[in-house]
Amino acid sequence: MSEDFSDWVGRSEEAVDVLDAARSNAMTASVGVVTGFRAGDTMPLLHHWLHFWNVQPPQGLGPDGHPAKGGFLPPVGLPRRMWAGGRLKFHQPLHFGETVTKTSTILKVQEKSGKSGQLVFVTVEHSLVGESGLAVTEEQDLVYREAAAT
């Protein structure tokens, strides 16, 4: 395969969202826990995943249901995209009602060959900055794989 994605390393994009307590209340209710989060309350850890939606029309989606490749993420020729791992660091709490900026940056793109065939790993760093400064740093490792055998 051996594609050169070095130009993609360092690319960034920003998204801004207001942390909506209703999203967390709905998520906790879906697992049988009733919460009454309100603006100003501290947001539970990991609930940042309920925000910063990248809503796309059908033509903006790839066959895997994720946003089409070639926008922010490199246009890797392998069809299967999956989450492979990640690391989180919580610097300070976020609060419902707060306006937060998420900056996503591609840290590296690495091609490997394994038992399952060709693989491309993309590591993306997400930094969430709220009204009091840096709150969350998250690295996500995405893996692109060959099509499944029929």
Side-chain angles (χ1 to χ4, degrees):
M1 181 171 184
S2 212
E3 295 182 63
D4 181 13
F5 293 109
S6 58
D7 287 349
W8 290 81
V9 175
R11 284 189 185 213
S12 293
E13 70 175 5
E14 280 191 0
V16 176
D17 205 349
V18 176
L19 304 181
D20 183 2
R23 293 183 191 183
S24 290
N25 288 329
M27 196 282 296
T28 57
S30 74
V31 295
V33 178
V34 177
T35 54
F37 296 124
R38 299 181 315 218
D41 290 347
T42 298
M43 188 171 72
L45 299 180
L46 304 179
H47 283 228
H48 68 279
W49 288 340
L50 301 172
H51 296 83
F52 305 101
W53 297 349
N54 185 358
V55 178
Q56 296 289 320
Q59 63 270 26
L61 298 175
D64 58 2
H66 294 283
K69 296 180 279 186
F72 169 64
L73 292 172
V76 174
L78 299 171
R80 296 171 64 197
R81 175 177 21 179
M82 297 178 284
W83 182 79
R87 291 150 302 285
L88 285 146
K89 185 170 184 180
F90 298 97
H91 305 278
Q92 61 182 315
L94 291 167
H95 297 90
F96 292 115
E98 187 173 359
T99 299
V100 176
T101 300
K102 174 182 168 184
T103 303
S104 302
T105 304
I106 297 175
L107 295 183
K108 65 182 175 181
V109 180
Q110 185 176 20
E111 189 175 342
K112 294 184 179 183
S113 184
K115 292 182 211 172
S116 60
Q118 289 298 113
L119 305 168
V120 174
F121 289 88
V122 177
T123 302
V124 179
E125 179 186 69
H126 305 287
S127 297
L128 279 69
V129 176
E131 295 166 7
S132 298
L134 181 63
V136 180
T137 306
E138 177 176 8
E139 287 186 10
Q140 293 179 340
D141 301 315
L142 309 174
V143 63
Y144 296 80
R145 299 180 59 188
E146 295 175 353
T150 56

